[in-house]
Amino acid sequence: MDEKSKPCWAFQKGHCRYGALCRYSHDTTRPTQAHRGGTGKHRGLCKSHLAGRCSRGSGCQFSHETTELQKNSLPVHNADEIGSTPRRPPDLEDPVLRQWFRSIPTSGTGQVRPLSFTELCKFWQTAHEMVSLRGSAKAQQVIQQLASEGGITRILEVTKIKFNEYSPMETISQFKRLILPFLRTITQKDVLLSLTLEASKGTIYAFLFGIGGRRGIAFFAMLAEVLKAMVLLETTDDEAFSLATSTILTALLQIIDCNQTAYILVDLQELTQGIASFIENQGGPSNGTLLQQVAHRQLAKIRTRLDFGATVEPVNDASDPSIQPPTFQFGTDWPGRLSPDGVRHDNDHENICHISIMPTADEIRANRLEYLPVADTSKLHITGVKGLLDRQFRLLREDTVGQLRDCVRSVLENLTVPGTQLAGTKTLQNSTRFLIYQGVNLSDVIFEKRKGLQVTAEFDQPSPVRSTPNLELRKKWWSETKQLQVDSLLCLVDSMGMCVFFSVSHREGISLSQTNEDPSSETSLMAPALKHDNAQRLWSPSQVISNAGDTEVVRNLWNDQRRGTITLQLIDMNEQGVAEVLGRRHMENNVRQVLVEFPGVLLPSFRPTLEALKGMSKRGEVPFAHLIAPVQPVEDVEIIPPAYATQPGFAFNLRPIANGVSMPLRISTPFDTDSLKLHSTLDDAQCTAVVNALTRSLALIQGPPGTGKSYVAVQIVKVLLACRQEADLGPIICVYVWLHLDIPEANLSHRCYTNHALDQFLEHLLSDGVGQIIRLGGGSKSKILEPLNLRNVSVNTEETKVERTSGWEARRSVAEAGKDVAELLHNLKRSDHPSVIRRLLEAEYPHHYDELFREADDAGFTIVRNRRRDPLSEWLQGDYRAPGAMTTVRERKQLYTGSLYHMSGSERRTLHGNWVASIRDSLTVQLQEAVARYTSSKEKLQQSRRALDLRCLQEAHLIGITTSGLARNVDLLQRLAPKVVIFEEAGEILEAHTVTALLPTIEHAILIGDHEQLRPQIQNFDLSMENAKGRKYSLDVSLFERLLRPQESGVTLLYDTLEVQRRMDPSISELVRSTLYPNLKDHEIVQSYPPVTGIRKRLFWLDHRRPEGRSDPTQPLQTSHWNDWEVETLAALVTHLVRQGVYRSEGIAVLTPYVRQLQKIRSLLSSTFDIIIGERDEEELGKHELLEAFNNVENPEGPTLKMLNPLAQKTTLSQRLRIATVDNFQGEEADVVVVSMVRSNIEKRCGFLRTTNRINVLLRKAELVTGCL
């Protein structure tokens, strides 16, 4: 008997280790003749075929018959249920991976042999070993294979395991051998955080959940029995129990996150309660071993999600039962359906998750005031952390989007009045300025290969351009103004009340080579299609691109003296937005359209933060919620240590900051700060601050001017990096306040401010030997940090095989979707072409088709037609009037059933219009669907590109980022699972930005700042703490300040204050010591400053009685204050100081609180000095000059243009002078500071100079000399 005919006794016992490669039969039935040696065609089973690698096909001398392997095996499930990820060949250079791949059935082979228990254990143990190899591409290949059809089969075998027939000891043993490796494979940290494996992970967890959750509930119920067995055997103190519970709960959390219906399953809630009962006495979220802490945190997240699911009602926009207006409040107009007067508009909801970021047309037209939550938490419609997120979202949206809404509303109100001239500059009462372009016409819709669907808009040129026939001068004007910059935010408003938001996509126009359009048939989608006065040419395209000889002339901002053309992109590329744009082709000619531009407002500066707040509200997870958003006011709250620092045996080692002396800092042991001071360069207050910052989960450090806040931050980072691996901290996130806008690297060519404070901090760390630093985001001009920018790091990093394949598939998907959009758009533009109408008639109206295009009549005679004229055109030109017939047009139904040649001319045009409308409606729906597919494909492509960024960030030890950059990359940073975040200049960061940076995995947050200096900058003064009416909102109060002021937060937190300043001369520091910092001390270094040259006193005040200039509130350029006498005096003083030959002009700073004064100072001093102005001040000046240029009128002596580049002037003394407004000089310093206060009036009004924060910043900037006018 052939060996293959012999039965395998090991297989019959259930533990054959050779599997499909065994030379004995695994068939329990009687062997057939074909399997007996010498009598069959083949020599035996082909092992290469079993592994899925045989290349000989039917020519192979070994058998490809797998009948004996298919019997009594599991069926292959439908690909729709388990995913259809194609199987890829393994890395042939790795024998372990190659052997593991052979254990996965090949798709399409029908039934497959199940693995024995021993084989299955080995399969999952090997899988876990491979996914645990950090930085290896094997993990990506393994997970992708598990998401394939064959891999899902192996997962199914695991879920079918039953432990109810075994003893508790056997149950635990088999769980550890099989189930635990399986769960650890699919819950491995890098797998869960990977962008490349997002789809594969979703497939695995969707299958594990099953239809209606049946498979998942049964599987986790079995796991609960395993935990029960561990409890019965009293093994809960074992590390294996902690590993089991943390792994099981992590897998359960992923199942809930990947399956939306899991939130509302009652069985899962009961199952969670059962698992929770096993671990309630095992440590806690902030104590116990690391695994116990993980288990408790995962359990808390699961409960949060299930609690949210319990509140969901089976209706859209359901209200949270916890959101109820307090019964003791009267006269409050609550949000959404909670309002006694009903909803305000279609974007008014009580749940912020349902609020659209951009205002809707109905919201713009609404007259009722928006609901704005106040700072008093007892007066909110929802309490706790959700109340915090709700308040920050609504106030930040009002501060940013609210100004856009109000601007558009004012335009809309005037637009409905016939004859109103709107072009030019407008200013609202809150000083919000906007520009209006009249005579707007959306001339075409095109598809651009890189950016997708684009809209070209034409408008009347501004007055300065209309008066200039010279093309080069027009181009120069548009180049030097900051109007209609790329990514600028615009709103299209019409007299019918519709509003659509766009951003500028191209200023210079788009040639046909950049689109997917056919130049020979390029037509305007928006132009009227039919020319009834010319029956010979029904299809009359309006060329967007015209050709003059062989030169392609592109319509743009400057080519036409009267009309400018700009290319726009929809802000929300959704079905409604696309429909609104395409619907413009039906607009009547008497509808007025204008474009409203908002200078200086860029969508990326606020939209990511608002989206992040909505996401946090949906999850309901914010670290330190009991401290930053207590439900009830609590005093003297105990701040627990970071969770990672509470694991047994852990200690911070202060060696990096103690000159190499080993100095452990343990949570449970008192620490002697004197020893740290002895071996370091820190003073007493700094030592205390460092120790407390390390041992408090939420640490606050106040640093008065010159006390070394950044230096302390560097010391803290050094200690954290030393214990990074032991505590599994992941990368440390260092967050700095955004200066204005930190836009993506691809857009650095326009409006991106530098963030030199962040750069200086990172450079300091580099100089101290700290490595593995990544700078995330733009705005950096540091040559040292350029190689460490994420963009450059990722470019120099090689993609894995899976990442390359994923990127290729995503690009192919985008190309295919883009091709569909371009084709449908092309067809839509030709929807009135005779050939298109002919196809419609042939398919849907055959009787009309026969009348127009048939070649023979009913008698069989050939119909002779004029071949030079189209039958449709000839019919449309005709007119039939029956004797005594009415002149009115018959109903549509009669036209569709009647004879074409018995219709009047008006009836023919009506029917023809119905045909075209039918074609367009069908194509419009198809185009909307195609655009949605294209947008989805673009998002997947972006995700595949960011997978490489994520892998680079995972290798970083420290990541430097601004608040705006963090909000834009919040999804990427969440996947890093960081535990520590440090905020620098926390007093200047909006609370919304700070809360956004508190990622779900954060266990340790350190806020360093000074609430006595400048507050966060906001746009709407009505929401400011400095405004009597806005104090109840206090949007410009940072989280740092709120936590340090008990009357503001309702909770008292401990904080440390640095006390020794090393910057100001004692005479200058006394100004802030006697008013704000009573404990501030002067370091000995400031006692030895040299005498002042050219000025008798180091600090002096110049008092005068010269009045300030009177501003005209009706003029947009005169909303700021100025004082001409101070300008002249200041110029003389600066010149005097420079001529002493001691102080370089670079060491002199001229400060003033007002932009108008800054403009006058620059105008006077620019002839003598090379003026240096910061980016934010230049932006403010640009707004004023932009508005002045926009309203410039024609010169009666000839056309002229006012050029806007006063900074580019040659100097006579080759001196550079720094001038700035007070608010924009934060974080900088100078040897000599000259201040122009400006205000001098008989009313004794000092404006916002009454704010102590602003005066503090103004006075503390000088090291040697301060002069105040």
Side-chain angles (χ1 to χ4, degrees), residues 331-612:
T332 302
D333 194 3
W334 301 104
R337 295 182 297 178
L338 299 179
S339 171
D341 297 328
V343 296
R344 296 165 176 81
H345 44 74
D346 60 1
N347 201 26
D348 181 27
H349 306 283
E350 56 269 32
N351 190 338
I352 62 173
C353 296
H354 304 141
I355 297 178
S356 170
I357 300 297
M358 301 305 296
T360 64
D362 192 41
E363 178 181 359
I364 292 172
R365 293 190 296 264
N367 294 322
R368 287 169 56 190
L369 295 177
E370 294 295 318
Y371 165 72
L372 298 178
V374 297
D376 188 351
T377 56
S378 65
K379 298 179 180 179
L380 302 179
H381 73 289
I382 183 172
T383 59
V385 68
K386 284 199 171 184
L388 169 69
L389 298 172
D390 179 273
R391 176 175 177 271
Q392 294 302 321
F393 174 86
R394 293 182 190 274
L395 292 181
L396 181 60
R397 184 175 183 270
E398 181 66 19
D399 184 55
T400 53
V401 178
Q403 60 179 334
L404 312 181
R405 178 200 63 225
D406 294 342
C407 292
V408 176
R409 180 182 295 154
S410 68
V411 173
L412 191 59
E413 291 173 352
N414 293 320
L415 195 62
T416 55
V417 180
T420 305
Q421 294 297 321
L422 295 173
T425 306
K426 304 296 178 183
T427 307
L428 296 182
Q429 292 182 353
N430 60 2
S431 299
T432 302
R433 300 183 180 93
F434 54 97
L435 307 176
I436 302 177
Y437 304 86
Q438 285 204 124
V440 175
N441 175 43
L442 298 188
S443 57
D444 198 10
V445 178
I446 58 178
F447 181 78
E448 197 258 335
K449 299 177 182 177
R450 186 170 61 92
K451 292 190 175 182
L453 206 63
Q454 310 279 292
V455 180
T456 56
E458 298 178 357
F459 57 90
D460 295 337
Q461 291 279 18
S463 177
V465 180
R466 290 201 308 271
S467 61
T468 306
N470 186 285
L471 174 62
E472 291 302 320
L473 282 180
R474 292 198 303 269
K475 183 176 181 180
K476 189 175 183 180
W477 190 89
W478 277 109
S479 298
E480 295 196 3
T481 60
K482 295 185 178 180
Q483 297 173 231
L484 298 179
Q485 292 284 317
V486 174
D487 284 344
S488 293
L489 190 61
L490 305 174
C491 183
L492 178 68
V493 188
D494 63 44
S495 55
M496 297 179 62
M498 299 305 298
C499 310
V500 185
F501 285 92
F502 294 90
S503 62
V504 177
S505 178
H506 294 281
R507 304 177 83 231
E508 301 181 355
I510 301 179
S511 64
L512 286 176
S513 60
Q514 295 176 268
T515 69
N516 283 4
E517 303 291 341
D518 181 8
S520 62
S521 59
E522 176 64 16
T523 65
S524 171
L525 183 61
M526 299 300 178
L530 292 178
K531 305 290 185 181
H532 295 295
D533 56 341
N534 185 0
Q536 297 293 330
R537 187 181 181 187
L538 293 178
W539 183 49
S540 176
S542 172
Q543 296 291 335
V544 177
I545 310 292
S546 60
N547 293 318
D550 296 331
T551 303
E552 185 180 51
V553 179
V554 182
R555 292 187 182 180
N556 52 29
L557 287 177
W558 50 80
N559 277 342
D560 193 321
Q561 182 179 353
R562 294 293 176 182
R563 299 280 288 174
T565 303
I566 191 76
T567 306
L568 308 175
Q569 187 171 21
L570 275 168
I571 292 297
D572 294 318
M573 194 70 69
N574 51 29
E575 182 177 338
Q576 181 179 356
V578 174
E580 179 62 31
V581 169
L582 297 178
R584 296 276 162 173
R585 68 180 184 270
H586 302 305
M587 189 167 292
E588 301 293 336
N589 294 331
N590 59 353
V591 176
R592 299 173 62 191
Q593 297 185 104
V594 298
L595 276 175
V596 183
E597 181 185 8
F598 313 96
V601 178
L602 294 178
L603 196 60
S605 65
F606 59 86
R607 188 171 189 173
T609 302
L610 292 173
E611 292 287 4

Side-chain angles (χ1 to χ4, degrees), residues 843-1144:
E844 298 187 17
Y845 307 103
H847 58 289
H848 284 168
Y849 175 83
D850 291 341
E851 283 192 81
L852 288 175
F853 302 107
R854 62 179 178 177
E855 298 180 355
D857 59 13
D858 296 337
F861 293 99
T862 302
I863 299 177
V864 180
R865 302 183 186 276
N866 186 348
R867 296 188 177 183
R868 294 184 178 181
R869 303 186 63 179
D870 181 77
L872 182 62
S873 304
E874 187 176 359
W875 167 79
L876 191 59
Q877 186 183 18
D879 189 8
Y880 171 80
R881 293 186 181 276
M886 301 293 292
T887 57
T888 57
V889 178
R890 288 175 289 176
E891 294 182 359
R892 179 178 177 179
K893 183 178 181 181
Q894 293 177 308
L895 295 180
Y896 275 106
T897 57
S899 173
L900 291 179
Y901 290 100
H902 289 175
M903 296 181 184
S904 64
S906 58
E907 289 177 335
R908 298 183 186 198
R909 289 189 292 272
T910 299
L911 182 59
H912 181 272
N914 290 337
W915 290 340
V916 174
S918 175
I919 297 171
R920 284 178 171 171
D921 291 343
S922 175
L923 290 175
T924 298
V925 173
Q926 297 179 52
L927 181 59
Q928 291 172 340
E929 296 173 351
V931 170
R933 291 194 300 270
Y934 175 80
T935 303
S936 176
S937 299
K938 286 276 288 185
E939 291 175 354
K940 293 179 181 178
L941 176 60
Q942 182 66 17
Q943 188 180 56
S944 68
R945 289 172 176 171
R946 291 172 70 86
L948 182 59
D949 293 340
L950 177 62
R951 194 154 53 86
C952 295
L953 291 174
Q954 288 172 336
E955 299 299 322
H957 294 175
L958 185 140
I959 299 173
I961 192 171
T962 60
T963 51
S964 60
L966 188 145
R968 195 178 59 253
N969 295 281
V970 65
D971 181 63
L972 199 64
L973 294 174
Q974 283 180 353
R975 296 176 181 276
L976 299 175
K979 295 182 179 180
V980 181
V981 59
I982 300 176
F983 297 89
E984 262 275 30
E985 300 294 351
E988 289 190 69
I989 303 177
L990 281 169
E991 183 168 356
H993 293 159
T994 305
V995 172
T996 302
L998 295 178
L999 305 174
T1001 56
I1002 294 296
E1003 301 175 6
H1004 194 180
I1006 302 173
L1007 282 69
I1008 305 174
D1010 186 9
H1011 60 288
E1012 298 292 356
Q1013 297 183 46
L1014 288 182
R1015 289 192 172 100
Q1017 293 190 11
I1018 61 176
Q1019 306 296 322
N1020 192 343
F1021 188 63
D1022 293 337
L1023 304 176
S1024 174
M1025 180 73 174
E1026 300 176 10
N1027 187 346
K1029 296 181 179 179
R1031 190 170 293 118
K1032 62 180 179 180
Y1033 304 115
S1034 297
L1035 177 61
D1036 55 350
V1037 173
S1038 65
L1039 176 64
F1040 181 83
E1041 179 178 358
R1042 185 167 68 83
L1043 294 177
L1044 262 62
R1045 297 183 184 272
Q1047 66 273 20
E1048 301 291 344
S1049 64
V1051 59
T1052 303
L1053 297 184
L1054 298 175
Y1055 67 95
D1056 296 285
T1057 302
L1058 307 182
E1059 297 179 346
V1060 181
Q1061 72 90 13
R1062 299 167 175 80
R1063 176 189 303 161
M1064 299 171 285
D1065 182 87
S1067 63
I1068 301 175
S1069 63
E1070 180 61 27
L1071 294 173
V1072 294
R1073 178 167 42 247
S1074 61
T1075 55
L1076 299 174
Y1077 309 106
N1079 298 324
L1080 187 65
K1081 303 179 181 65
D1082 298 323
H1083 193 272
E1084 58 185 14
I1085 192 175
V1086 302
Q1087 307 287 347
S1088 57
Y1089 283 150
V1092 180
T1093 303
I1095 298 179
R1096 183 173 302 173
K1097 294 183 179 181
R1098 192 179 301 277
L1099 171 68
F1100 71 92
W1101 301 80
L1102 178 58
D1103 188 18
H1104 67 86
R1105 295 294 183 269
R1106 305 300 176 91
E1108 65 190 41
R1110 288 289 181 178
S1111 61
D1112 184 356
T1114 64
Q1115 297 296 321
L1117 293 180
Q1118 297 186 12
T1119 57
S1120 187
H1121 300 280
W1122 74 95
N1123 192 305
D1124 291 326
W1125 186 87
E1126 287 190 12
V1127 173
E1128 296 174 358
T1129 305
L1130 183 146
L1133 179 57
V1134 171
T1135 303
H1136 169 72
L1137 289 171
V1138 173
R1139 286 175 176 173
Q1140 303 306 309
V1142 177
Y1143 307 111
R1144 301 180 58 189

Side-chain angles (χ1 to χ4, degrees), residues 756-757 760 985 988 1013-1014 1063 1176 1222-1229 1257 1260-1261:
H756 51 80
Q760 291 173 359
E985 300 294 351
E988 289 190 69
Q1013 297 183 46
L1014 288 182
R1063 176 189 303 161
R1176 286 199 292 182
V1222 176
D1223 288 3
N1224 294 336
F1225 201 66
Q1226 175 77 322
E1228 302 185 46
E1229 57 190 48
V1257 174
R1260 70 168 182 80
K1261 291 300 181 179

Side-chain angles (χ1 to χ4, degrees), residues 98-118:
R98 184 172 62 247
Q99 184 65 28
W100 184 84
F101 263 70
R102 292 176 178 174
S103 301
I104 298 180
T106 306
S107 302
T109 59
Q111 293 182 324
V112 295
R113 181 190 69 83
L115 298 179
S116 66
F117 183 83
T118 302

Side-chain angles (χ1 to χ4, degrees), residues 655-708:
R655 181 196 301 269
I657 63 174
N659 291 326
V661 178
S662 180
M663 197 173 295
L665 171 61
R666 292 182 173 85
I667 298 299
S668 57
T669 305
F671 183 79
D672 183 14
T673 56
D674 291 337
S675 60
L676 177 59
K677 179 183 177 182
L678 179 64
H679 294 92
S680 69
T681 57
L682 301 172
D683 59 41
D684 290 327
Q686 289 175 336
C687 289
T688 303
V690 168
V691 171
N692 288 335
L694 292 172
T695 56
R696 294 172 182 167
S697 58
L698 181 58
L700 307 173
I701 301 177
Q702 181 194 8
T707 53

